[in-house]
Amino acid sequence: MQDAGKNTRRWYWLLLLLATWLLVVLLAVGWRELHPQWRTLQRRAAAGRQDAPWLGMIFSEPDCSGDGNRCRTCHFPGQEHPAAMRSHLDNQSGCSHCHGGTGRALVIPAAHSLPGTRLVDPLMYQPFVQASCAGCHLPGEKPGSERLARGAMLFLRLGCSLCHPLGTGGRGGFDFGPDLSTMGRRSTEELRTAIIDPRRDFAASTMPSFATSFTTHPEQLDDLLVFLLSLSLPPLDPGGDGWCRSRAGRWQGLVEQHCSACHNLAGRRAGGTFRHRCSYLLERGAELNCSRCHRQASSADSDDDCPLLEQHRRNCVVCHRQARGERS
Amino acid sequence: MKRAGPQAGLFFHLHPARVAASSLRPTATLGLGILSAVLFALLALSGTLLTLYYLPTTSQAYGSMLDIQYLVPLGGFLRTVHRWAAHLMVVTVALHLLRVVACAAYRGRARNWFIGLGLGASTLLLAFTGYLLPWDGRAYWAVRVSTGMLDNLPLAGGLLRGLLLGGDSVGAATLVRFYAAHVFFLPLLLLLLFVWHLWRLRRDGGLARPGEPEQLLPARPHLLVREAALALAACAVVASAAWLWPVELGAVIDTVRPADPEKAPWYFLGVQEMVSHSTLWGALLVPGLLTVFLAALPFADGAGRYTGVWWGAGRRRSLLAAVALLALLVMATCLWLEWRQLRPAGIHPSAVMTILALLAGVAGWLLARSRRAALLAFFVVMVVALGGFTLAGWWRGSGWRLLLPWAG
């Protein structure tokens, strides 16, 4: 009985120790809760200012895809955009549908989807933020989207749309590749791998490697990535009011008129020269049975235009019947 | 001193009036039962607060989790507490089962043993249903992988999977179903089983111990101060873990492309690892054998000496230690072969370890002439195997290659 009594007294001391430990931890938690990162950033920005009505407030607004945005809690209006972009701020349409990231978050790593978090959003960084321009503008139409325009031209020049057609309604063309507009937002590493080494992440892939296309100008791969990211922009919420709704209608039109990726000069004229590199088609000539209609083919190594182009006298509509709204 | 009699108040009435001195020693039970109960209370409290903000629809779940994490005062802390307490509870419940088997505390208490198994299953189901609720990529794919393994069960596998998922695939129906189970049905079941478990414990005469007569001490204060200390310890550990290692939300759900590799929650990783070698052994034979073992245990070893004593008679400890060491060596060899990718095609580690366990059981019977020794030897090898497979599953990397953290 006395042994048990002595033991129990020891347990009372342990109880006190544990209670102290718990109290200290809870105090630490409370302290951190009372001093969140956004409050510190706001206080720093308010120092020296006469008027800071936003101090201590969480600023919340919906963006055009219907998600909540709290970016302006830390990013005060007017501070961040370059002068040419200031008109975007008047729209009160949130930040994340152009800049990506996690709009509802209030700590820097999560809000910006930094590397090291589980969240992924390449649109947070230049040049990839230019992909968002395609949500409302034709590529290259506005200053600041030049890399998007170059990416769009690369997409055609390299023949990507032969297997990854841009039209809606699923696959078309030769039915080799998935519809890129349904793949969702991918990280730039994943996209780079998919272009340079397609079989690394997906062993059954029949996509050829395009590594040799970027050896002379590696920065062009980033241009292409900007365009690819523009294909996976979140749909605008047509139920939004005013500015969002008007932009939503425009986005719908653009999706259907994928021709506008290239036909972006004044008067909807196409810009640049497009060379249909058919090396991929020629390699699969036997499988596609091209010789049934095309008796003469250029060699796979040549840089000449695809024989189809010559045969059909540059009548694009023969292949690109999607332009008329029909499936090819 | 007045002898302690029937206690007033529900809380004290659920407790025994008197407790044996030997049961109060920390090494008797390691306090695992009390820890599990305290963690459940913590989970119930934090979970109730979370239900005030969480929205169980596919369009709103992730957003509501973000709001809890960043907008709601103490929301992030509560959510992390809930997650850490959940993982810790699965661990303490599993260790509690190990302790009961090691002490042969199931002897003469078959009903309470099965109630305990029901509690264990409820805990696992609660953890699993809760895992899906954040509705991020990690949650979605973990549930998809885990329920995919159910298809391997004959006859009822597809039906069970359809029942769990509310359809063919993880979707809106699944989320609602899991939410209802997690928030209402399973906690209710667990609470009822828990009360029954405590009551059966009282009916069976308290914690299992050798039959020698010994002094009984009043539960107030001797048992209660130890309970309070364990409760505070659990809270302090969970709060510290939540403060040091806050849990992050995963990426937005992507039903098209999983990360490489996608894994089940850690408590099912062992099964996933075994299934990756062989569905027959991993999904059927090993779980089936373990289920049969657990169900038959109180009948196969219904009575004997050294009840309530860890591992039984003194001599037996060296036998069991040798068995454990052998199991560890074989497991390590299997893992090494797996790492070097030298494993012969037809030889499955799960088969190897199961056969070793059965042989250990036979050896235990032959060497110690006791059913308890045989059962314990089998059990020790299976525990080492499950632990090893869980570790292997944890270390699997891209392409399901085994990547040791220190060697790659």
Side-chain angles (χ1 to χ4, degrees):
Chain A
M1 187 66 149
Q2 277 137 338
D3 277 349
K6 195 167 66 177
N7 277 339
T8 305
R9 269 198 295 280
R10 277 198 215 124
W11 280 93
Y12 278 119
W13 282 111
L14 188 61
L15 203 60
L16 191 63
L17 197 69
L18 290 168
T20 314
W21 176 14
L22 184 61
L23 193 65
V24 166
V25 173
L26 289 177
L27 283 173
V29 168
W31 174 261
R32 200 162 60 178
E33 199 63 32
L34 289 171
H35 297 85
Q37 200 174 47
W38 59 267
R39 223 187 269 272
T40 315
L41 287 168
Q42 279 186 348
R43 246 186 241 131
R44 215 179 284 161
R49 284 170 78 122
Q50 301 287 62
D51 175 34
W54 32 259
L55 193 59
M57 281 175 29
I58 294 179
F59 192 103
S60 198
E61 58 187 349
D63 75 351
C64 280
S65 43
D67 196 17
N69 266 198
R70 300 190 180 113
C71 316
R72 296 207 200 184
T73 308
C74 300
H75 293 276
F76 310 113
Q79 286 180 350
E80 311 285 336
H81 281 189
M85 300 274 178
R86 291 274 162 79
S87 56
H88 291 73
L89 294 173
D90 301 332
N91 304 324
Q92 282 145 28
S93 55
C95 316
S96 61
H97 74 268
C98 285
H99 289 283
T102 312
R104 293 197 200 213
L106 282 170
V107 293
I108 291 177
H112 297 186
S113 304
L114 291 181
T117 63
R118 282 209 189 84
L119 310 160
V120 156
D121 212 324
L123 259 61
M124 281 260 104
Y125 310 100
Q126 282 283 5
F128 305 111
V129 67
Q130 290 188 22
S132 311
C133 306
C136 301
H137 306 288
L138 295 170
E141 180 189 340
K142 297 283 181 183
S145 61
E146 296 81 19
R147 297 194 73 165
L148 173 65
R150 284 205 294 271
M153 313 233 300
L154 268 172
F155 188 83
L156 280 183
R157 188 165 69 79
L158 294 173
C160 309
S161 53
L162 285 163
C163 296
H164 297 285
L166 293 176
T168 53
R171 301 169 175 191
F174 298 100
D175 209 17
F176 289 137
D179 184 352
L180 291 178
S181 61
T182 61
M183 296 295 281
R185 185 70 52 81
R186 301 276 160 211
S187 69
T188 47
E189 289 73 37
E190 224 180 306
L191 289 172
R192 261 184 257 268
T193 308
I195 294 170
I196 301 297
D197 186 9
R199 256 170 287 278
R200 185 169 175 275
D201 282 342
F202 181 40
S205 172
T206 52
M207 175 172 160
S209 164
F210 283 83
T212 50
S213 309
F214 298 103
T215 41
T216 38
H217 297 284
E219 71 280 2
Q220 287 182 342
L221 182 53
D222 277 353
D223 295 342
L224 183 60
L225 292 186
V226 172
F227 178 71
L228 290 176
L229 287 168
S230 77
L231 295 175
S232 66
L233 292 175
L236 298 184
D237 175 19
D241 52 333
W243 191 82
C244 286
R245 186 187 283 158
S246 66
R247 282 339 191 220
R250 191 163 179 190
W251 169 244
Q252 283 303 113
L254 279 174
V255 164
E256 278 144 21
Q257 297 170 40
H258 53 277
C259 315
S260 53
C262 310
H263 292 264
N264 53 29
L265 298 184
R268 299 267 183 199
R269 283 186 299 114
T273 36
F274 305 111
R275 309 185 65 202
H276 294 60
R277 284 230 216 112
C278 279
S279 52
Y280 180 57
L281 278 181
L282 290 168
E283 278 161 25
R284 305 183 84 91
E287 189 184 315
L288 296 169
N289 209 356
C290 306
S291 55
R292 194 155 52 97
C293 303
H294 302 278
R295 264 165 262 115
Q296 185 188 20
S298 357
S299 74
D301 293 329
S302 90
D303 251 340
D304 291 351
D305 286 345
C306 177
L308 280 167
L309 208 60
E310 200 48 45
Q311 293 265 341
H312 295 280
R313 297 190 190 145
R314 302 181 184 277
N315 188 351
C316 309
V317 172
V318 174
C319 287
H320 299 279
R321 272 186 274 155
Q322 290 109 313
R324 284 209 210 126
E326 299 162 19
R327 280 178 63 94
S328 70
Chain B
M1 175 183 273
K2 194 174 77 149
R3 241 169 98 87
Q7 303 291 295
L10 178 66
F11 181 71
F12 296 114
H13 198 69
L14 283 173
H15 286 74
R18 287 176 297 281
V19 180
S22 63
S23 300
L24 285 174
R25 280 182 292 116
T27 49
T29 61
L30 301 174
L32 291 163
I34 295 174
L35 275 174
S36 307
V38 165
L39 285 170
F40 179 64
L42 198 60
L43 283 165
L45 186 64
S46 53
T48 306
L49 291 170
L50 287 169
T51 56
L52 297 177
Y53 291 101
Y54 174 74
L55 299 166
T57 62
T58 50
S59 53
Q60 292 174 302
Y62 190 73
S64 66
M65 288 302 295
L66 282 171
D67 286 343
I68 289 171
Q69 192 101 8
Y70 299 113
L71 193 66
V72 172
L74 287 176
F77 176 69
L78 265 176
R79 194 232 151 177
T80 309
V81 160
H82 196 75
R83 201 173 178 110
W84 280 118
H87 288 316
L88 208 57
M89 186 176 170
V90 173
V91 171
T92 54
V93 164
L95 289 176
H96 182 60
L97 180 121
L98 295 189
R99 197 279 300 173
V100 169
V101 173
C103 291
Y106 46 76
R107 280 179 176 163
R109 300 166 180 224
R111 197 176 300 184
N112 209 10
W113 168 253
F114 285 109
I115 297 168
L117 288 181
L119 281 167
S122 306
T123 308
L124 274 179
L125 278 174
L126 270 168
F128 184 59
T129 49
Y131 208 87
L132 180 66
L133 298 184
W135 201 246
D136 56 8
R138 182 167 64 160
Y140 173 84
W141 283 100
V143 170
R144 193 162 147 169
V145 163
S146 310
T147 51
M149 291 196 284
L150 275 176
D151 270 335
N152 295 314
L153 296 175
L155 300 171
L159 189 69
L160 193 61
R161 184 167 169 268
L163 202 67
L164 266 176
L165 295 183
D168 271 330
S169 59
V170 181
T174 318
L175 188 57
V176 170
R177 206 166 275 234
F178 273 36
Y179 178 72
H182 186 76
V183 163
F184 182 65
F185 296 108
L186 287 170
L188 185 65
L189 178 67
L190 199 129
L191 203 59
L192 291 172
L193 286 175
F194 173 65
V195 172
W196 194 9
H197 195 60
L198 282 187
W199 185 76
R200 281 292 341 164
L201 189 61
R202 296 271 308 273
R203 268 297 284 256
D204 293 331
L207 291 176
R209 56 186 195 274
E212 302 128 21
E214 65 175 294
Q215 190 170 42
L216 298 177
L217 298 165
R220 281 164 85 167
H222 296 282
L223 177 60
L224 286 166
V225 69
R226 286 159 173 82
E227 270 186 21
L230 278 170
L232 277 179
C235 292
V237 166
V238 170
S240 308
W243 190 71
L244 286 171
W245 303 298
V247 175
E248 256 183 48
L249 264 182
V252 172
I253 206 167
D254 180 354
T255 60
V256 174
R257 282 250 309 255
D260 175 27
E262 282 295 357
K263 297 185 186 173
W266 66 267
Y267 30 88
F268 293 148
L269 256 183
V271 180
Q272 190 184 357
E273 169 69 21
M274 288 194 290
V275 167
S276 74
H277 312 141
S278 152
T279 46
L280 175 68
W281 284 92
L284 284 173
L285 291 178
V286 173
L289 198 58
L290 275 173
T291 311
V292 165
F293 170 80
L294 288 173
L297 197 55
F299 307 111
D301 180 29
R305 293 187 299 163
Y306 303 110
T307 306
V309 177
W310 281 82
W311 314 114
R315 287 187 309 267
R316 216 163 290 154
R317 295 179 196 202
S318 30
L319 168 68
L320 288 171
V323 165
L325 198 63
L326 181 64
L328 276 168
L329 280 171
V330 175
M331 190 75 230
T333 312
C334 288
L335 286 180
W336 184 82
L337 285 172
E338 199 67 30
W339 174 49
R340 287 282 188 209
Q341 296 174 317
L342 291 171
R343 179 169 62 88
I347 314 270
H348 307 295
S350 35
V352 167
M353 292 307 287
T354 311
I355 292 170
L356 182 68
L358 289 167
L359 288 174
V362 169
W365 168 249
L366 291 173
L367 291 172
R369 288 276 171 232
S370 119
R371 261 181 289 179
R372 182 177 174 187
L375 292 164
L376 269 178
F378 171 82
F379 190 62
V380 161
V381 176
M382 291 307 279
V383 166
V384 168
L386 270 177
F389 288 131
T390 307
L391 209 58
W394 189 258
W395 284 339
R396 289 284 183 184
S398 170
W400 204 248
R401 277 187 311 250
L402 192 60
L403 299 169
L404 299 177
W406 60 86

